[in-house]
């Protein structure tokens, strides 16, 4: 899970203002080399922020030895390689010459990594790094710019791309021998307890059953280990440029069409790891969910968060458009704080359709465990006592943060890990 946010629509005027300001603002206190690194970093980060693609949490790099810079979140840069946390593959950068410099804003910058190209590395939380490039026109003799990144994939893993452009890391399904399975019959509510019917929720911005379902068909015998969402690129005028991935073995290449672009061009080649390695629920056997099952999310999720519109969407359809092609079909998106709060509590839809409130979990767990508990009466678990009311009715009377905290506890009870 990561702290990245993606975008599909952009305020081009805002971006152009940001970039134009940066191009004329030259700090006089820095020497030429540091000035170049600082300006590239500032330009890249502010462009990402203007495109609503900034990190929600950042960590600064500091020197920890010759050729080695590290951040407290577990991300490190060693020579020309970005070392991620244990759940993510390490990445080799498109650096031909030079070494990384730690800037005042906490990033690592490779100035002139190749002629006309600067590479910026930013550290997010949970051992996940993000890479940005700042390219001048002279970087390529043609209008097609190409940036290649080699991934250190697990043995047997391959890269595969969906029709929407998301790149998946797939690995052969193997038996799990060291995980203690969780029997769903042990975590479901008792069969003889009164259960209310599931409430139907309707209205603008409410997700349909079809929208909740995953949209990427994983071939039999394979499992998803990770996913990179579609890349983005923008020029100095704030114009979003056509870009896509090309795959060759374990190498991802971002291809950007700079025809008519105003330079410099800022690109985010690997903007999001939607799923960490081993962060997908393994095969769901009859009434058994392996304890290594994890929720898929588009950012780190912590229990009991406060409501925010940052990272939120006015409708579930807009969220799905952002993450198109990045959810296995045997999964469903689940709102930790449920959607009915939009209509019943008159809460902002952006609180509910938010990256900190949406996780993708196996469909069977969603329907058989989570929904069963929420419809049960006389629940004395998860810090509540529902009495004659259903768990859903009791929870919905609480604050957003408390509902979120209980929702995470319920998911963990159903065998889902974060």
């Amino acid at each position: 899970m990561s702290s990245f946010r993606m975008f599909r629509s952009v305020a081009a005027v805002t971006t152009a203002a940001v970039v134009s300001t940066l191009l004329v603002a030259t700090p006089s206190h820095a020497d030429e080399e540091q000035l170049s690194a600082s300006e590239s970093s500032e330009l890249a980060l502010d462009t990402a922020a203007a495109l609503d693609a900034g990190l929600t949490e950042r960590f600064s790099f500091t020197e920890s030895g010759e050729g080695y810079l590290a951040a407290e979140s577990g991300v490190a840069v060693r020579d020309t390689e970005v070392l991620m946390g244990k759940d993510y593959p390490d990445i080799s950068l498109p650096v031909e010459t030079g070494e990384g410099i730690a800037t005042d804003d906490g990033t690592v910058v490779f100035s002139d990594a190749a002629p006309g190209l600067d590479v910026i590395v930013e550290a997010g939380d949970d051992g996940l790094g993000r890479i940005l490039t700042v390219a001048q026109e002279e970087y390529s003799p043609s209008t097609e710019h190409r940036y290649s990144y080699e991934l250190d994939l697990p043995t047997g893993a391959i890269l595969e791309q969906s029709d929407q452009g998301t790149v998946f890391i797939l690995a052969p399904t193997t038996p799990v021998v060291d995980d203690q399975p969780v029997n769903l019959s042990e975590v479901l509510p008792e069969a003889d307890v009164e259960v209310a019917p599931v409430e139907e929720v309707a209205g603008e911005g409410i997700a349909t059953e079809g929208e909740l379902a995953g949209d990427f068909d994983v071939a039999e015998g394979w499992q998803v280990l990770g996913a990179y969402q579609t890349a983005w690129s923008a020029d100095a005028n704030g114009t979003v440029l056509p870009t896509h991935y090309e795959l060759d073995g374990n190498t991802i290449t971002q291809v950007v069409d700079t025809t008519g672009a105003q330079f410099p061009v800022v690109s985010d080649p690997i903007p999001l790891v939607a799923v960490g390695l081993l962060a997908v629920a393994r095969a769901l056997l009859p009434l058994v969910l392996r304890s290594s099952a994890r929720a898929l999310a588009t950012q780190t999720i912590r229990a009991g968060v406060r409501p925010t519109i940052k990272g939120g969407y006015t409708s579930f359809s807009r969220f799905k458009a952002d993450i198109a092609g990045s959810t296995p079909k045997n999964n469903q998106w689940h709102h930790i704080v449920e959607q009915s709060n939009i209509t019943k509590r008159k809460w902002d839809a952006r609180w509910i359709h938010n990256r900190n409130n949406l996780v993708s979990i196996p469909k069977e767990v969603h329907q058989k465990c989570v929904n069963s508990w929420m419809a049960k009466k006389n629940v004395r678990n998860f810090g509540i006592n529902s009495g004659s009311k259903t768990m859903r009715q009791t929870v919905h009377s609480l604050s957003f943060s408390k509902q979120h905290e209980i929702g995470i506890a319920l998911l963990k009870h159903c065998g889902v890990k974060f």
Side-chain angles (χ1 to χ4, degrees):
M1 271 72 74
S2 77
S3 56
F4 291 106
R5 298 173 58 208
M6 288 295 295
F7 75 100
R8 287 296 181 273
S9 61
V10 179
V13 175
T14 302
T15 307
V18 171
V19 175
S20 299
T21 300
L22 290 170
L23 290 177
V24 299
T26 303
S28 59
H29 62 275
D31 58 61
E32 186 172 353
E33 182 179 10
Q34 181 64 28
L35 171 64
S36 175
S38 297
E39 283 191 324
S40 291
S41 177
E42 186 178 4
L43 173 61
L45 297 183
D46 283 359
T47 301
L51 299 180
D52 198 23
L55 290 180
T56 56
E57 190 170 4
R58 297 177 54 239
F59 294 81
S60 296
F61 286 98
T62 57
E63 293 187 13
S64 301
E66 186 175 355
Y68 190 88
L69 301 102
E72 290 184 358
S73 61
V75 183
V77 176
R78 182 181 61 197
D79 298 327
T80 60
E81 187 177 24
V82 181
L83 308 179
M84 305 289 195
K86 61 183 177 63
D87 287 337
Y88 305 98
D90 298 334
I91 302 174
S92 294
L93 300 171
V95 176
E96 297 177 3
T97 60
E99 62 180 14
I101 297 174
T103 65
D104 291 340
D105 57 18
T107 63
V108 172
V109 177
F110 290 84
S111 296
D112 291 326
L117 180 71
D118 292 347
V119 177
I120 296 92
V121 182
E122 189 179 11
D125 56 359
D126 289 346
L128 181 61
R130 188 265 268 288
I131 302 165
L132 295 153
T133 58
V134 177
Q136 302 293 340
E137 187 172 9
E138 60 266 26
Y139 171 68
S140 174
S142 72
T143 56
E144 183 180 89
H145 284 201
R146 303 175 67 88
Y147 319 114
S148 296
Y149 303 84
E150 184 178 355
L151 306 181
D152 183 18
L153 297 179
T155 302
I158 62 172
L159 299 176
E160 184 169 320
Q161 193 167 17
S162 72
D163 293 339
Q164 293 84 358
T166 300
V167 173
F168 286 86
I169 304 173
L170 302 179
T173 302
T174 55
V176 180
V177 297
D178 56 352
D179 285 332
Q180 180 65 35
V182 175
N183 192 327
L184 282 182
S185 64
E186 297 178 355
V187 297
L188 291 172
E190 297 176 10
D192 59 349
V193 175
E194 183 181 358
V195 175
V198 177
E199 297 180 33
E200 295 293 332
V201 183
E204 185 178 357
I206 302 300
T208 65
E209 182 71 16
E211 288 178 316
L212 289 173
D215 46 19
F216 178 70
D217 196 4
V218 180
E220 185 177 354
W222 293 86
Q223 62 179 331
V224 178
L225 295 186
Y228 298 98
Q229 284 190 354
T230 52
W232 60 261
S233 185
D235 74 358
N237 287 331
T239 303
V240 177
L241 304 177
T243 183
H244 64 274
Y245 290 129
E246 291 183 1
L247 306 181
D248 182 13
N250 64 339
T251 298
I252 295 180
T253 298
Q254 181 186 12
V255 182
V256 180
D257 182 358
T258 64
T259 302
Q262 178 68 41
F263 289 89
V265 167
V266 177
S267 302
D268 193 353
I270 305 180
L272 170 66
V273 178
V275 188
L277 296 182
L278 304 179
V280 180
R282 291 192 173 96
L284 192 63
L285 304 176
L287 294 183
V288 173
L289 172 65
R290 299 191 182 279
S291 62
S292 58
R294 293 178 183 258
L296 284 67
T298 57
Q299 69 173 53
T300 300
I301 294 180
R302 296 182 175 85
V305 297
R306 294 181 179 179
T308 178
I309 63 173
K310 186 176 182 180
Y313 297 80
T314 55
S315 70
F316 188 77
S317 297
R318 290 181 181 273
F319 170 79
K320 284 284 287 184
D322 250 6
I323 53 89
S326 61
T327 311
K329 284 188 175 180
N330 63 336
N331 275 32
Q332 283 188 332
W333 284 101
H334 169 65
H335 293 77
I336 300 170
V337 176
E338 292 191 325
Q339 298 182 89
S340 56
N341 285 286
I342 297 174
T343 55
K344 292 184 176 181
R345 301 287 296 273
K346 306 300 181 184
W347 285 353
D348 194 315
R350 291 171 294 180
W351 292 7
I352 307 300
H353 304 308
N354 196 293
R355 291 179 179 272
N356 65 20
N357 190 53
L358 281 159
V359 295
S360 181
I361 60 177
K363 181 178 180 180
E364 190 167 355
V365 175
H366 191 201
Q367 295 180 348
K368 288 188 176 181
C369 190
V370 175
N371 285 341
S372 293
W373 271 106
M374 291 298 284
K376 179 187 175 184
K377 296 181 179 180
N378 298 306
V379 174
R380 295 185 179 184
N381 206 339
F382 318 110
I384 65 171
N385 183 353
S386 67
S388 60
K389 295 182 179 180
T390 65
M391 179 176 174
R392 175 173 283 110
Q393 291 170 330
T394 301
V395 169
H396 285 188
S397 68
L398 304 174
S399 68
F400 181 96
S401 296
K402 191 61 179 178
Q403 289 193 42
H404 195 276
E405 179 183 327
I406 293 171
I408 294 291
L410 174 57
L411 287 170
K412 289 180 177 179
H413 177 78
C414 289
V416 178
K417 289 188 176 181
F418 287 82

